[in-house]
Amino acid sequence: MSFFLIFLAIVLIGVAVLLGTDVASRVVRRGRARGGGQPFDDGFDEPVASLPPVLLPEEADPSDVDHLRFAIGLRGYRMDQVDQVLDELRDQIAAKDRKIADLGEELERLRPAAGQGR
């Protein structure tokens, strides 16, 4: 009888450790991802934006990105803040790429005209 109680205690401790370290939910997520089922619903709602947003200047410099700080949430940084900053960076980079392409096209148009003047 004492071996059974020791075995039961070990099993209960193991289950408590698995649940406490969130290993069990990761195992369930992997199993469902392979099976093609619905994504795992961990019961947490999307975070409510109760903190002020993290904003970048209109023309962000590398030093502005270095000084960014995000609020710490339950599982790390607040995803809504990080997504917002990444969206802004994407838009700024796309605008700069368009400007570079436009300037390159203008330069190509002006080069033949400059070469014919000689």
Side-chain angles (χ1 to χ4, degrees):
M1 184 70 168
S2 64
F3 288 117
F4 176 72
L5 291 177
I6 292 173
F7 176 74
L8 184 63
I10 291 172
V11 169
L12 289 176
I13 289 172
V15 168
V17 168
L18 285 176
L19 293 176
T21 58
D22 200 29
V23 173
S25 65
R26 283 188 235 145
V27 170
V28 171
R29 286 182 199 172
R30 283 192 202 128
R32 289 188 182 180
R34 289 184 193 136
Q38 294 293 329
F40 182 73
D41 182 18
D42 57 5
F44 291 107
D45 293 332
E46 285 293 318
V48 178
S50 59
L51 297 174
V54 177
L55 300 176
L56 284 173
E58 188 68 30
E59 295 290 324
D61 292 330
S63 63
D64 293 328
V65 177
D66 290 337
H67 292 101
L68 283 176
R69 296 294 174 256
F70 299 101
I72 303 294
L74 182 63
R75 293 185 172 176
Y77 293 113
R78 295 271 310 262
M79 288 188 293
D80 57 338
Q81 289 179 344
V82 175
D83 289 342
Q84 178 186 6
V85 170
L86 289 177
D87 290 344
E88 289 177 22
L89 282 173
R90 182 200 56 225
D91 295 343
Q92 288 182 17
I93 290 171
K96 287 181 182 183
D97 287 345
R98 282 192 301 272
K99 187 172 185 176
I100 289 170
D102 292 344
L103 290 174
E105 290 173 5
E106 185 177 343
L107 181 64
E108 290 300 319
R109 279 187 281 133
L110 294 176
R111 270 198 184 138
Q116 292 174 357
R118 289 185 176 173

